[in-house]
């Protein structure tokens, strides 16, 4: 993670986060460990808890505590009670700053520990679903401190959501099932940043990709990218593999599950495990449920059809594989580190709203990434700069 390393070196010298207590609720992976170490190098007092019960890499959690002295509350496979106990433990740190992936930390802070809010200078949010929840808090007048929506940076969603999820979600499906993607009907539910990445990669592996959407613009985009687009009710009996990436509730609902093809694989790469109506699947599976491989559960319907649910419907790339590769998380977490510094520097001007990272900082991260990749690009000449800033010249 060369960009984050450069930031870490500067942070170690300049100590921009000195004395700042940070409670971070993120997927506990090797990449997150690098972020936590970077924040600590910048002078912060960091604690970490998991942002999903299944995404923790236990060796990373242990190493963070033992080797880096960063308290980490996370166990892979923890139940919901333990998950929230860990969030409460991270809040006991009385943070000046929160760092979230999905908004569970900020929402618990507002609901359960409001007495801690006056300490909080700012928060940062990693993912689309968390940003949606924060915007809802802002609109309802509930949000009580400024939060930076890291997801909205170009150097985050254009790469992490698209290329990261695109690759790691397919990796997880292949690792858990060893299914051949070539020749299969692969149904991508939701054609946002994640969905575009998944669809392009599934096509590259030889799948016949079907996209389902509710947004007309994104649906046209999918059509013009060369995919078949249809309602999910029509795709249900056609698909061999179904992947939800919507951030929406019951994207695969009971009527779809009723029509689904025998042998279908169903997975989710959206933030929460509510994109597939699992209670409905359980009701339909009167023939029972059994685990056939790690992270693969077989549900048998009354008529003998079998449907396979991956990773309990939790985000499959982090639950059943390693999540995004480090080289893409490098840019996401550069946004978190520089965003933390930015929010502290500008704390006095900020009000309890959802902010995005300034465009200059976003471009600076891209510039550093290109530099790390050894790729050079052209720069505008003074003449071109002047031309692009002017309105006078025409035909
Ligand atoms: N697995 C990961 O590592 C990872 C990484 C980044 C984001 N995410 C999560 O993935 C989800 C999607 O993120 P994104 O950035 O692609 O969001 P996005 O807003 O760009 O795209 C979501 C798309 O889903 C569509 N949609 C909503 N409800 C639908 C429905 N019922 N049927 C079909 N389409 C529907 C929307 O119209 C939209 O186009 C979010 O929950 C986000 O937090 C996961």
């Amino acid at each position: 993670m060369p960009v984050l390393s450069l930031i870490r070196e500067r942070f170690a010298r300049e100590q921009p986060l000195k004395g700042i207590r940070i409670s971070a609720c993120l997927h506990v992976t090797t990449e997150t460990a690098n972020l936590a170490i970077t924040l600590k190098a910048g002078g912060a007092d960091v604690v970490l808890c998991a942002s999903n019960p299944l995404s923790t890499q236990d060796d990373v959690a242990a190493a963070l505590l033992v080797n880096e002295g960063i308290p980490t509350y996370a166990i892979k496979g923890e139940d919901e009670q333990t998950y929230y106990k860990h969030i409460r433990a991270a809040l006991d740190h009385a943070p000046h700053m929160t760092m979230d992936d999905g908004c569970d930390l900020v929402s618990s802070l507002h609901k359960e520990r409001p007495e801690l809010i006056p300490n909080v200078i700012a928060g940062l949010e990693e993912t689309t679903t968390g940003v949606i929840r924060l915007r809802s808090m802002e609109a309802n007048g509930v949000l009580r401190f400024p939060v930076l929506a890291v997801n909205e940076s170009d150097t985050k969603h254009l790469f992490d959501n698209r290329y990261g999820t695109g690759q790691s979600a397919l990796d997880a499906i292949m690792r858990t099932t060893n299914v051949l993607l070539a020749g299969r009907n692969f149904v991508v539910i939701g054609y946002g940043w994640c969905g575009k990445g998944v669809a392009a990669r599934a096509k590259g592996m030889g799948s016949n990709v079907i996209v389902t959407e509710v947004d007309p613009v994104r649906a046209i985009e999918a059509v013009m990218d060369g995919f078949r687009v249809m309602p999910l009710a029509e795709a249900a009996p056609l698909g061999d593999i179904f992947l939800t990436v919507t951030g929406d509730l019951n994207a695969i609902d009971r009527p779809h599950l009723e029509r689904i093809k025998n042998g279908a694989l169903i997975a989710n790469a959206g933030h929460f495990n509510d994109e597939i109506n699992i209670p409905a699947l359980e009701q339909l599976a009167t023939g029972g449920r059994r685990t056939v491989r790690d992270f693969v559960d077989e549900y048998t319907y009354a008529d003998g059809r079998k449907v396979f649910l991956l990773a309990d419907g939790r985000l499959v790339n982090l639950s059943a594989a390693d999540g995004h590769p480090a080289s893409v998380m490098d840019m996401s977490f550069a946004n978190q580190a520089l965003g933390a510094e930015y929010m502290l520097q500008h704390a006095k001007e900020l009000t309890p709203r959802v902010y995005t990272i300034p465009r200059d900082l976003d471009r600076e991260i891209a510039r550093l990434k290109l530099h790390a990749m050894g790729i050079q690009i052209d720069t505008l000449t003074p003449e071109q700069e002047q031309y692009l800033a002017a309105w006078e010249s025409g035909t």
Side-chain angles (χ1 to χ4, degrees):
M1 301 176 82
V3 178
L4 200 57
S5 293
L6 282 174
I7 295 169
R8 177 153 73 231
E9 282 163 23
R10 181 173 67 74
F11 272 20
R13 283 195 311 276
E14 297 178 6
Q15 296 288 290
L17 309 178
K18 195 166 177 52
I20 297 295
R21 288 191 300 272
I22 298 181
S23 298
C25 177
L26 300 168
H27 299 293
V28 179
T29 63
T30 47
E31 294 80 17
T32 302
N34 266 329
L35 172 63
I37 293 166
T38 302
L39 299 171
K40 191 176 174 192
D45 175 2
V46 185
V47 302
L48 181 63
C49 67
S51 61
N52 185 288
L54 255 191
S55 63
T56 298
Q57 295 168 2
D58 286 332
D59 50 350
V60 173
L64 271 171
L65 179 66
V66 174
N67 300 340
E68 306 296 335
I70 296 174
T72 302
Y73 305 98
I75 305 167
K76 188 175 179 77
E78 62 196 13
D79 59 21
E80 202 166 305
Q81 209 186 347
T82 311
Y83 175 75
Y84 279 104
K85 191 176 93 183
H86 286 160
I87 286 189
R88 284 193 283 275
L91 288 177
D92 286 342
H93 193 48
H96 299 118
M97 185 167 264
T98 62
M99 226 169 239
D100 233 340
D101 187 324
C103 192
D104 280 347
L105 187 76
V106 168
S107 131
S108 299
L109 177 59
H110 280 71
K111 284 195 286 210
E112 294 173 24
R113 304 293 301 275
E115 77 283 2
L116 295 175
I117 293 179
N119 284 329
V120 181
I121 301 167
L124 294 102
E125 169 56 54
E126 172 79 3
T127 197
T128 316
T129 284
V131 175
I132 290 171
R133 296 177 78 188
L134 286 163
R135 292 221 162 101
S136 161
M137 289 176 81
E138 183 188 331
N140 287 299
V142 181
L143 185 65
R144 289 187 46 200
F145 51 84
V147 183
L148 187 74
V150 163
N151 186 70
E152 307 307 272
S153 299
D154 282 349
T155 47
K156 200 282 183 178
H157 64 265
L158 288 178
F159 303 96
D160 171 318
N161 302 28
R162 184 165 43 173
Y163 302 109
T165 311
Q167 177 168 314
S168 60
L170 289 198
D171 172 22
I173 292 170
M174 290 189 289
R175 276 195 211 191
T176 47
T177 63
N178 201 22
V179 68
L180 182 74
L181 295 180
R184 299 295 164 100
N185 288 333
F186 194 120
V187 183
V188 179
I189 299 139
Y191 201 65
W193 292 111
C194 295
K196 290 180 221 283
V198 170
R201 271 137 202 85
K203 183 179 180 178
M205 294 292 284
S207 292
N208 297 304
V209 176
I210 298 171
V211 169
T212 74
E213 248 300 341
V214 292
D215 179 316
V217 175
R218 289 201 155 155
I220 301 180
E221 225 183 330
V223 170
M224 297 215 180
D225 284 343
F227 300 117
R228 278 189 291 168
V229 174
M230 62 183 78
L232 183 54
E234 262 176 55
L238 303 177
D240 299 298
I241 302 160
F242 294 80
L243 183 70
T244 52
V245 265
T246 65
D248 194 9
L249 177 72
N250 294 338
I252 300 183
D253 212 347
R254 187 181 176 110
H256 312 124
L257 291 167
E258 282 170 354
R259 292 172 57 104
I260 209 159
K261 191 192 217 177
N262 180 34
L265 304 177
I266 324 177
N268 166 49
H271 187 77
F272 287 120
N273 62 334
D274 56 8
E275 299 208 14
I276 299 163
N277 188 342
I278 297 172
L281 181 60
E282 275 160 4
Q283 283 164 12
L284 288 166
T286 50
R289 166 191 160 175
R290 62 183 186 124
T291 300
V292 289
R293 289 169 70 121
D294 285 348
F295 304 111
V296 184
D297 284 341
E298 177 194 76
Y299 290 78
T300 304
Y301 288 16
D303 62 5
R305 270 180 295 161
K306 293 179 192 304
V307 172
F308 299 90
L309 177 68
L310 308 191
D312 296 332
R314 295 200 184 274
L315 71 188
V316 70
N317 58 326
L318 278 145
S319 303
D322 293 328
H324 298 358
S327 57
V328 80
M329 293 314 293
D330 194 17
M331 284 192 283
S332 304
F333 286 163
N335 273 282
Q336 289 280 7
L338 296 182
E341 183 182 33
Y342 172 83
M343 293 303 268
L344 283 180
Q345 283 167 348
H346 293 82
K348 288 209 173 70
E349 308 136 40
L350 304 174
T351 56
R353 286 180 37 218
V354 179
Y355 289 87
T356 54
I357 214 159
R359 186 134 180 84
D360 285 352
L361 219 46
D362 202 358
R363 291 170 77 88
E364 176 62 10
I365 292 168
R367 202 185 58 75
L368 290 172
K369 188 68 182 174
L370 281 172
H371 176 73
M373 295 168 90
I375 296 169
Q376 294 180 345
I377 59 169
D378 293 320
T379 47
L380 293 170
T381 63
E383 183 190 35
Q384 288 167 335
E385 271 184 24
Q386 200 184 3
Y387 175 83
L388 290 172
W391 60 272
E392 291 91 347
S393 56
T395 311

